[in-house]
Amino acid sequence: MNIHNVAVIGAGVMGAGIAAHIANAGIPVLLLDIVPEGASDRSQIANTALAKLLKADPAPFMHKKNARLVTPGNIEDDLPQLADCDWIIEAIVERLAIKQDLYRKLAAVRKADAIISSNTSSIPLHELVAGLPEDFAAHFMITHFFNPPRYMRLLEIVTSEQTDQDAVEKISQFCDFKLGKGVVPCKDTPGFIANRIGIFWIQTAIQEAIDMGLTVEEADAVVGRPMGIPKTGVFGLSDLVGIDLMPHLMRSMNRSLPTDDPLREKATIPPLIQNMIDTGYTGRKGKGGFYRLNRDGGQKSKESIDLQTGEYSPSQPAKLDSVKAARDGGLQALIAHPDKGGQYAWRVLSQTLRYAAALVPEIADDICAVNTAMKLGYNWKFGPFELIDQLGADDFAQRLATDGQDVPPLLTMAREHGFYRHNENETLYLQPDGSYLPLQRPPGVLLLADLKRHAEPLLENDAASLWDIGDGVACLEFHSKMNSLDPLILEMIEETVELIPQNHKALVIYNEGSNFSAGANLGLLMFAAKLGGWDEVDKMVSGGQQAYKTLKYAPFPVIGAPFGMALGGGCEILLHCDALQAHAETYVGLVETGVGLIPGWGGCKEMLHRWSTNPRMPRGPLPPVLKCFEIISVATVAKSAFEAKDYLFLRHTDGITMNRDRLLADAKARALSMVEGYQPPEPPVFHLPGTTARVAMEMAVNDFRAQGKATPYDAVVAQALASVLSGGDTDMTDTLSEDDLLALEYAQFTQLVRKPETLARVGHMLETGKPLRN
């Protein structure tokens, strides 16, 4: 891809975030800004930005060591260094004259094939390059990142007929493979794709909620999960991004929108919202927003604003029959419901989806680009045209017409067959000329969702399925709630290991949920414990241990492909795989101590083996035990796949994929590379220090108790963990087998389950989604 050095000019929030994410790709990046007047440090702005990046939460760097790849500087002194850069990104103030002045300076120092891009979202490309040298314009494009650059996957690329296609391909490939972006080509139109539709949607949802007299909770309950939109809905989202951002975006859009564009009608800022901005209620970054936390009297209570009066009162959950109807009947049931929630849903959806349909091919060549932009830029589960298909394109068009709204030409063409058609072996999508083309993924992209439209599972139950993904590789998919691990999944593991040798040669463990796995199903565990069903508890613990051992010693390679959260039992299944191909955004850890338990499915054993055989570890039986205790006792979670290697949740030989869409294909390739000559691992033998180490760990916990950093029950949990990691009452000269350690894990885990304090902690976790903090 030939991108070896990058420069970012502009060290504001976006510029600094872009620089950090390029460093995450392992690429050196120069971060420049102006020299502040009278500053003793001429690179003060860039230096300050780098310092803030290291303290920011969520972290812009996937590993703190990546900060070493960012070199701060300033435009006056360091511009000549740009001659070594393959890509120069401009992220300065949104003023055309200032940008063009910078471009003229860049034209004088850039190397001949260097690519220049702007992160602008408000100034058209043709204005940016007007009057600049022809070669400069040929290597110039807009690369519109979304904030924060590490976490938001959308990258909109805007080019012109002048733009060199090799340059476009080079940047697209780099951003896809190295930065993990979903690259969407856009036309040079106001707001491009995501913000053009997204701003219309936000303005419509807010204005309709005010006009209809809904509460913010009711509006977010309707516009959120029932529509496949994050539960923040529209008012929670506005608080998150900043309420004061919308007037700036609207002014920018109005500058270049066509005079008859429906978005112009949405451009007004309601008096309530203007007053909120004027008084500092700009969202989470301000004193509050549509929601706020009232801390009067030392207590924290969530409040929400009355959209009619502007007064705050305690937040009340929405109680709408339409939202309940949508849980079973989907989107059609939601908009068909007569209550105010159903009416509100129709008003928002009808206007937003109609607007999106009217914009193709003005803003993009096809509907796929629009769907992808909204899913990656606004975290919608479904794009606008997928939502219309859920409603039924003909039904949607008919209701628009009944309401007196114009039906866009593209929607008229979709009335008979929809925007997507699914044949036996392929999916087709509607083109602006009325024809249908096969949906084709880029090379190296393999999605389980595509395969599932045209295939039947090899095995299936209510919690898991086994799929043939080609070339003799099978994929084990979890699909329980939050992909939590339960007896059905454990049964599926046993059946999978038995079935695969018959017709397959490798296994990938992967799914396309929001998270790989949130861990064991604690609700089932708690239910059995409360009823005194200790046999069921014991069966679940021993069943997990047996299933994971079966997986570990299977006669074929097993590759884990995690992403998102892989916690507790989800982490333990990864520890038993032969290798991992992890998405960079994987948050992995053994978190059982947070609910008053210890890992019970072999996690302690596997971590001990990894640290005991780690060549960087000091010699002797004690250091690896103490290291594992340090990691597990405080429920350590690695905040990226790169961090996970520090804790040995991932081995240093495990692979990391930056682009989520490429994870399954990469994992499959990893599995195939291990097939020839594969032999299951040899069972480990442990030499553990016994009582000596256990006493040392217990003393450390007692010190924390004395300092008020641990509760008495924390000490109980830590003692159970120390017993397992030290080998219990074993003598230092003894050896322990894998089964010996599993027996210790089993004994300590089941004892902890029986304690009332454990049940209280598990109950708190299930109710709030957070570990109990003392």
Side-chain angles (χ1 to χ4, degrees):
M1 281 165 274
N2 302 319
I3 302 288
H4 303 296
N5 291 281
V6 176
V8 177
I9 303 177
V13 172
M14 279 304 298
I18 292 168
H21 194 49
I22 290 168
N24 289 334
I27 304 297
V29 56
L30 186 63
L31 179 62
L32 307 183
D33 211 303
I34 61 173
V35 177
E37 188 175 347
S40 56
D41 175 8
R42 292 175 61 80
S43 301
Q44 176 183 318
I45 295 177
N47 278 316
T48 301
L50 182 57
K52 287 182 178 178
L53 288 171
L54 286 165
K55 296 177 182 176
D57 186 19
F61 290 112
M62 290 180 173
H63 197 290
K64 290 203 174 202
K65 69 181 181 184
N66 293 343
R68 295 179 300 202
L69 292 169
V70 180
T71 302
N74 67 80
I75 297 172
E76 292 184 21
D77 302 329
D78 301 308
L79 217 56
Q81 294 186 46
L82 301 182
D84 297 325
C85 293
D86 303 302
W87 182 18
I88 302 168
I89 304 169
E90 170 269 303
I92 65 173
V93 62
E94 293 288 85
R95 291 173 60 183
L96 179 59
I98 295 176
K99 288 180 185 288
Q100 285 203 321
D101 180 61
L102 173 64
Y103 298 158
R104 282 185 282 271
K105 294 176 181 176
L106 297 180
V109 298
R110 62 178 279 267
K111 61 182 180 180
D113 61 346
I115 299 164
I116 316 292
S117 73
S118 174
N119 185 57
T120 186
S121 61
S122 62
I123 302 176
L125 176 65
H126 63 270
E127 292 185 15
L128 292 172
V129 297
L132 291 169
E134 188 175 314
D135 181 66
F136 186 93
H139 288 83
F140 186 91
M141 65 192 75
I142 291 174
T143 50
H144 181 217
F145 290 81
F146 275 60
N147 191 36
R150 170 183 167 181
Y151 299 96
M152 296 302 294
R153 290 186 56 207
L154 178 61
L155 179 77
E156 295 178 318
I157 292 187
V158 183
T159 61
S160 71
E161 291 182 359
Q162 289 179 279
T163 314
D164 180 82
Q165 288 306 303
D166 287 341
V168 177
E169 183 65 18
K170 184 184 292 187
I171 293 300
S172 298
Q173 291 288 304
F174 178 82
C175 292
D176 176 343
F177 285 87
K178 294 293 187 180
L179 300 186
K181 296 297 177 186
V183 177
V184 175
C186 306
K187 295 188 178 180
D188 192 15
T189 56
F192 312 135
I193 298 176
N195 280 343
R196 180 79 169 268
I197 297 171
I199 292 170
F200 184 95
W201 165 69
I202 290 172
Q203 289 290 97
T204 299
I206 289 176
Q207 289 178 3
E208 292 292 351
I210 293 172
D211 292 346
M212 294 183 66
L214 271 72
T215 68
V216 294
E217 293 90 349
E218 288 172 337
D220 284 346
V222 171
V223 173
R225 284 176 170 166
M227 296 183 186
I229 290 168
K231 66 178 181 179
T232 52
V234 68
F235 289 103
L237 173 65
S238 298
D239 280 355
L240 182 63
V241 301
I243 297 168
D244 55 336
L245 178 63
M246 193 56 65
H248 294 293
L249 290 172
M250 288 309 311
R251 282 194 292 270
S252 169
M253 295 289 284
N254 278 338
R255 176 176 171 270
S256 51
L257 278 171
T259 55
D260 61 346
D261 194 282
L263 182 51
R264 285 187 175 274
E265 301 171 10
K266 310 285 184 182
T268 57
I269 304 300
L272 168 74
I273 295 177
Q274 189 60 57
N275 183 63
M276 292 172 69
I277 295 170
D278 294 341
T279 55
Y281 283 89
T282 55
R284 295 189 187 183
K285 66 182 180 182
K287 296 187 289 186
F290 295 108
Y291 298 95
R292 73 175 186 183
L293 279 179
N294 188 333
R295 294 181 171 85
D296 291 347
Q299 301 293 318
K300 288 194 295 186
S301 61
K302 186 178 181 180
E303 296 182 339
S304 56
I305 199 167
D306 187 306
L307 295 174
Q308 309 304 316
T309 67
E311 300 294 324
Y312 284 93
S313 60
S315 189
Q316 300 295 325
K319 296 179 180 179
L320 293 168
D321 290 339
S322 53
V323 173
K324 294 177 183 176
R327 291 171 191 160
D328 295 323
L331 214 53
Q332 289 180 328
L334 178 66
I335 65 167
H337 202 282
D339 75 0
K340 61 181 177 180
Q343 296 175 49
Y344 174 65
W346 171 248
R347 288 196 191 182
V348 174
L349 278 175
S350 62
Q351 294 180 68
T352 303
L353 301 183
R354 175 184 173 277
Y355 185 61
L359 289 174
V360 178
E362 176 191 337
I363 62 173
D365 286 331
D366 58 55
I367 64 172
C368 300
V370 175
N371 282 337
T372 300
M374 293 310 298
K375 288 192 283 188
L376 299 185
Y378 279 78
N379 285 327
W380 289 14
K381 186 175 182 180
F382 309 103
F385 299 100
E386 293 167 326
L387 289 171
I388 294 175
D389 275 358
Q390 287 184 30
L391 295 171
D394 186 55
D395 290 342
F396 181 66
Q398 187 172 326
R399 187 164 174 183
L400 285 179
T402 302
D403 284 357
Q405 299 188 61
D406 291 338
V407 178
L410 189 67
L411 177 57
T412 298
M413 288 186 277
R415 292 185 71 159
E416 184 176 356
H417 298 294
F419 285 100
Y420 290 91
R421 295 169 61 183
H422 303 291
N423 295 335
E424 185 176 344
N425 296 314
E426 63 181 357
T427 296
L428 306 161
Y429 67 95
L430 180 66
Q431 287 284 96
D433 65 2
S435 64
Y436 284 83
L437 285 181
L439 179 64
Q440 295 182 329
R441 303 296 182 188
V445 171
L446 175 63
L447 300 181
L448 205 54
D450 290 344
L451 184 147
K452 288 162 66 174
R453 291 192 193 101
H454 313 292
E456 295 295 326
L458 302 170
L459 294 171
E460 185 177 28
N461 63 30
D462 287 343
S465 301
L466 185 69
W467 300 91
D468 185 334
I469 58 174
D471 301 311
V473 181
C475 176
L476 176 60
E477 173 202 22
F478 309 146
H479 43 73
S480 55
K481 184 176 181 181
M482 293 190 71
N483 291 327
S484 59
L485 300 157
D486 59 20
L488 285 176
I489 289 178
L490 301 180
E491 288 175 16
M492 181 63 74
I493 291 172
E494 299 279 1
E495 292 177 25
T496 294
V497 172
E498 185 176 335
L499 177 68
I500 284 186
Q502 298 175 25
N503 294 298
H504 294 77
K505 50 192 176 185
L507 175 68
V508 171
I509 303 176
Y510 164 89
N511 64 76
E512 288 170 2
S514 299
N515 295 287
F516 177 77
S517 174
N521 189 328
L522 294 176
L524 285 178
L525 195 70
M526 188 176 184
F527 180 75
K530 279 190 169 182
L531 294 178
W534 302 116
D535 287 346
E536 290 301 313
V537 171
D538 291 351
K539 188 186 300 182
M540 190 168 175
V541 180
S542 60
Q545 290 187 347
Q546 181 57 46
Y548 284 11
K549 269 192 71 178
T550 301
L551 203 62
K552 179 178 178 179
Y553 296 111
F556 49 81
V558 178
I559 309 300
F563 57 90
M565 291 190 297
L567 305 177
C571 175
E572 287 178 294
I573 198 170
L574 298 175
L575 292 173
H576 287 80
C577 292
D578 292 296
L580 302 183
Q581 186 68 37
H583 182 228
E585 296 294 354
T586 298
Y587 311 97
V588 58
L590 297 170
V591 297
E592 287 84 352
T593 58
V595 291
L597 293 166
I598 63 169
W601 284 348
C604 298
K605 161 187 64 83
E606 291 300 314
M607 287 295 283
L608 269 175
H609 179 57
R610 291 188 178 197
W611 281 101
S612 298
T613 55
N614 180 20
R616 297 179 299 164
M617 204 71 209
R619 292 186 178 182
L622 193 56
V625 169
L626 297 180
K627 186 65 178 178
C628 290
F629 186 76
E630 173 191 326
I631 293 169
I632 300 172
S633 65
V634 295
T636 300
V637 175
K639 300 295 180 63
S640 74
F642 296 97
E643 276 192 13
K645 291 192 174 187
D646 292 347
Y647 302 110
L648 299 190
F649 295 133
L650 267 69
R651 304 174 183 89
H652 288 279
T653 54
D654 287 332
I656 296 176
T657 297
M658 292 293 282
N659 192 321
R660 175 75 173 79
D661 289 343
R662 297 185 177 279
L663 181 59
L664 180 56
D666 287 352
K668 176 183 171 181
R670 185 70 178 260
L672 288 170
S673 72
M674 297 178 64
V675 168
E676 189 173 349
Y678 176 78
Q679 292 293 326
E682 290 292 325
V685 174
F686 296 89
H687 301 273
L688 298 176
T691 305
T692 305
R694 190 182 73 245
V695 171
M697 288 183 277
E698 289 174 352
M699 288 175 62
V701 174
N702 289 334
D703 285 342
F704 277 113
R705 276 193 62 193
Q707 298 171 40
K709 297 179 180 178
T711 67
Y713 194 71
D714 289 330
V716 172
V717 177
Q719 286 165 4
L721 178 62
S723 176
V724 174
L725 295 175
S726 64
D729 295 326
T730 186
D731 186 271
M732 194 175 294
T733 60
D734 291 342
T735 59
L736 282 83
S737 68
E738 186 174 35
D739 287 336
D740 292 333
L741 269 184
L742 283 174
L744 270 171
E745 275 192 28
Y746 172 86
Q748 297 293 344
F749 184 95
T750 51
Q751 285 178 29
L752 288 173
V753 171
R754 293 172 183 264
K755 296 183 180 295
E757 179 68 17
T758 297
L759 296 182
R761 288 194 181 201
V762 172
H764 177 85
M765 177 71 177
L766 293 173
E767 183 178 341
T768 66
K770 299 177 181 178
L772 187 63
R773 302 296 182 191
N774 293 286

